[in-house]
Amino acid sequence: MKKQLTALLLLFNIIGMSAQSIYDQVNDPYFGETCTSILVSKGASTDGSVITSHTCDGRYRTWLTIEPGQQFKNDTTTVIYKGKLKTETAWDMRNVKVAGEIPQAKETFSFLNTAYPCLNEKQLAIGETTFVGPKELVNENGMFLIEELERIALERCSTARDAIQLIGELIEEYGYGDWGECFTIADKKEVWQLEIVGEGPDQIGGIWAAQRIPEGHVGVSANISRIGEINLKDKEHFMASKNVFSAAKKLGRWDGKEPFKFWKVYGGVEKPFKIREYFILNALAPSLKLDFEADELPFSVKPDKKLSVQDVMALYRETYEGTKYDMTQHLLVTKKKYNDQKEEIGVDTLKSPIANPWMGRNERNLYNALKPEIVEFQRTVAVSWCSYSEIIQLRDWLPDEIGGVAWFSFDNPGQSPRIPIYAGATKLPESFNYCGQKRYRDDAAIWQYRKANKLATLEWQSTKDDLLSEVAYFEGKGLTETKELEARVKQLIEAGEKEQAQKLLNRYTKDFTGATMLRWKELEEQYWAKFGLGF
């Protein structure tokens, strides 16, 4: 069957149904501004969790599945694809290209198959951000794009170090065909930042460096290369490809004399941070008094207070409200005040009811045409063009089935609730099978949230408290209820009733999803009633 599928896809490629060229991505208005990943080491979290995370911002697929682990005979191969990031369903093979085949492992692990695969049954988790890098380093003939490297790593590895090593071996042997990318790879003990670039059109391989977030620290990757100096003698905190220094000299990107900094040599940026990196690190460690005008920020920081998973969720809702980076701060209107006799007694200056942090380009242009520079665009952490996001907790004191949990949300992370999906789950709700990015689909899960979210922005100052109270309710509900769920599942696992434990995890995700969808449908209807006579 696999050979038949491969032959069919090769036929599609021959007749022109091939994947989009890697170079065409630069035409995407979101390209290079598409993800945010926050990394929390075990010693920096309040409960000893290791955390990695990812916002998949842009027009990426929103269908997701749980792919089961399998066993294979010797001499089996697995197909490597290009073009699956923007498909409509798992079985949609339009514009999908077979890039090649590699030997299959004898056994693979179950994993959560998001556009960028993110969590396996062994509590290995991966976040991702694109940092682009110089165009001259790209070689689209390399077999592997980033999403397939993630898939293979999750199928075969149980630790972050093993995953980094495997990814390095794969791109050395089969080639790396993507732009500059960052993996934020975590296991039950450690979390690492792995940055990869191509080696140029004349070389099929790639160049990479990995740096561990030090114990007790937090890091962030937000579409910019962040790794600086590499100390390969410090094996506890650094790993790199064999060519990391030699390729830099060969490509004329480093003279071998000045201090080698990965971001400076391969990142293609003037400095290794912008607003998101600065805001998050500064918010977590205000005592450091980080400077947005500095040439460089620390790779990671020790937070002034340890972070809970709720703290990370809050960071993913961040729009810089109340700070000097707030895009709505100057969108003010006046409102007259009256006494009981309806006599005017004063005037209040308030933020306009329609001011919201997710204004589109046309709206910003209109405001700035009416009054120049009244809205200064900032790339917020939460964006309305997010496909999905996940915050993944990894906990070594629990069985793997419940130790790893992805707090998943569709659409704008500043508005949507988070749904717990466990490493031990085997089935997801039916609506998760369909992507809602190519067209409106009532059967696609994302639209069950997107409709209310978009309506709420029409008068955000009057809707946000209501909507965010619902987000908070489900956040509290999930974090409270899952404690009892995990205790019950642990008992079942210890009693040898693994199948029953899986059913319980599947059912909880399904029920929790259904409850959030129902409430967001009610919000949608509430907003239509509110705006029924005009926006």
Side-chain angles (χ1 to χ4, degrees), residues 197-469:
V197 294
E199 201 174 344
D202 298 329
Q203 296 292 329
I204 202 69
I207 307 161
W208 59 271
Q211 184 171 353
R212 180 183 171 189
I213 302 298
E215 194 59 39
H217 277 225
V218 177
V220 58
S221 175
N223 305 128
I224 288 179
S225 176
R226 297 274 297 134
I227 295 177
E229 294 186 23
I230 302 168
N231 179 10
L232 294 181
K233 293 181 181 179
D234 181 2
K235 298 184 183 300
E236 282 298 303
H237 294 94
F238 292 95
M239 301 170 69
S241 57
K242 293 180 289 187
N243 61 352
V244 67
F245 300 120
S246 60
K249 292 180 180 179
K250 181 181 177 181
L251 293 166
R253 307 193 68 84
W254 180 52
D255 61 10
K257 298 177 182 178
E258 66 175 317
F260 179 95
K261 294 185 178 181
F262 191 91
W263 69 263
K264 193 171 186 178
V265 174
Y266 296 118
V269 290
E270 293 183 2
K271 60 183 186 179
F273 71 94
K274 286 186 180 178
I275 182 63
R276 282 174 288 163
E277 293 90 349
Y278 166 76
F279 188 91
I280 292 169
L281 295 178
N282 188 57
L284 297 178
S287 62
L288 295 180
K289 298 181 180 179
L290 301 177
D291 183 3
F292 188 50
E293 303 303 322
D295 293 331
E296 195 167 355
L297 293 181
F299 173 71
S300 61
V301 300
K302 182 177 181 179
D304 290 356
K305 296 180 181 178
K306 292 187 177 184
L307 279 73
S308 67
V309 70
Q310 283 180 288
D311 293 326
V312 181
M313 291 176 182
L315 286 171
Y316 273 105
R317 292 192 291 271
E318 191 58 66
T319 60
Y320 319 141
E321 182 177 0
T323 75
K324 65 180 181 179
Y325 306 109
D326 184 348
M327 286 186 285
T328 68
Q329 61 185 306
H330 301 305
L331 299 179
L332 306 175
V333 295
T334 58
K335 183 178 180 181
K336 295 179 179 179
K337 294 191 296 184
Y338 298 90
N339 61 20
D340 293 340
Q341 288 73 44
K342 297 184 179 180
E343 297 170 332
E344 185 178 332
I345 58 173
V347 177
D348 283 334
T349 300
L350 308 169
K351 191 171 288 188
S352 169
I354 65 173
N356 77 83
W358 302 297
M359 295 173 281
R361 182 180 290 109
N362 292 336
E363 190 176 356
R364 296 196 307 270
N365 288 345
L366 174 60
Y367 292 143
N368 287 326
L370 294 172
K371 187 174 182 179
E373 300 181 357
I374 195 169
V375 177
E376 181 181 357
F377 176 74
Q378 301 289 352
R379 205 306 191 173
T380 52
V381 179
V383 292
S384 60
W385 33 278
C386 180
S387 300
Y388 68 86
S389 65
E390 78 267 345
I391 297 165
I392 304 177
Q393 277 184 288
L394 308 167
R395 300 169 291 181
D396 62 359
W397 63 92
L398 292 171
D400 288 337
E401 289 87 347
I402 51 175
V405 56
W407 294 94
F408 186 90
S409 78
F410 293 98
D411 201 50
N412 186 342
Q415 297 179 296
S416 294
R418 293 201 171 271
I419 299 161
I421 303 174
Y422 281 91
T426 59
K427 187 177 181 181
L428 296 173
E430 175 67 18
S431 60
F432 286 26
N433 285 320
Y434 308 103
C435 173
Q437 299 289 57
K438 293 181 179 293
R439 54 191 168 119
Y440 172 77
R441 291 188 62 147
D442 199 52
D443 57 356
I446 190 171
W447 280 102
Q448 309 312 310
Y449 306 97
R450 177 173 282 171
K451 289 181 285 186
N453 289 347
K454 297 299 184 188
L455 284 170
T457 62
L458 294 171
E459 199 172 290
W460 182 240
Q461 298 306 313
S462 67
T463 61
K464 70 175 180 179
D465 288 346
D466 220 21
L467 187 144
L468 292 178
S469 71

Side-chain angles (χ1 to χ4, degrees), residues 94-272:
R94 293 169 293 178
N95 299 318
V96 173
K97 177 181 178 181
V98 173
E101 294 183 349
I102 66 171
Q104 179 61 281
K106 291 184 178 180
E107 183 177 7
T108 61
F109 300 128
S110 169
F111 69 96
L112 181 55
N113 183 20
T114 43
Y116 292 94
C118 64
L119 173 65
N120 76 7
E121 63 178 284
K122 298 296 182 180
Q123 293 199 66
L124 177 68
I126 306 179
E128 177 274 345
T129 79
T130 303
F131 66 82
V132 182
K135 183 178 179 180
E136 58 266 27
L137 294 179
V138 177
N139 182 351
E140 66 175 344
N141 294 319
M143 182 186 294
F144 276 97
L145 299 182
I146 206 76
E147 63 274 15
E148 284 288 74
L149 286 171
E150 291 180 325
R151 173 177 70 86
I152 297 298
L154 289 172
E155 285 183 336
R156 302 183 182 191
C157 300
S158 57
T159 70
R161 290 173 186 262
D162 286 348
I164 293 167
Q165 194 66 45
L166 174 61
I167 289 167
E169 292 169 357
L170 290 172
I171 63 176
E172 181 178 1
E173 183 170 358
Y174 299 102
Y176 179 69
D178 220 330
W179 294 90
E181 292 275 0
C182 174
F183 293 93
T184 58
I185 307 182
D187 58 32
K188 294 175 282 189
K189 302 291 186 183
E190 304 175 341
V191 58
W192 288 72
Q193 205 158 309
L194 166 63
E195 297 181 355
I196 310 174
V197 294
E199 201 174 344
D202 298 329
Q203 296 292 329
I204 202 69
I207 307 161
W208 59 271
Q211 184 171 353
R212 180 183 171 189
I213 302 298
E215 194 59 39
H217 277 225
V218 177
V220 58
S221 175
N223 305 128
I224 288 179
S225 176
R226 297 274 297 134
I227 295 177
E229 294 186 23
I230 302 168
N231 179 10
L232 294 181
K233 293 181 181 179
D234 181 2
K235 298 184 183 300
E236 282 298 303
H237 294 94
F238 292 95
M239 301 170 69
S241 57
K242 293 180 289 187
N243 61 352
V244 67
F245 300 120
S246 60
K249 292 180 180 179
K250 181 181 177 181
L251 293 166
R253 307 193 68 84
W254 180 52
D255 61 10
K257 298 177 182 178
E258 66 175 317
F260 179 95
K261 294 185 178 181
F262 191 91
W263 69 263
K264 193 171 186 178
V265 174
Y266 296 118
V269 290
E270 293 183 2
K271 60 183 186 179

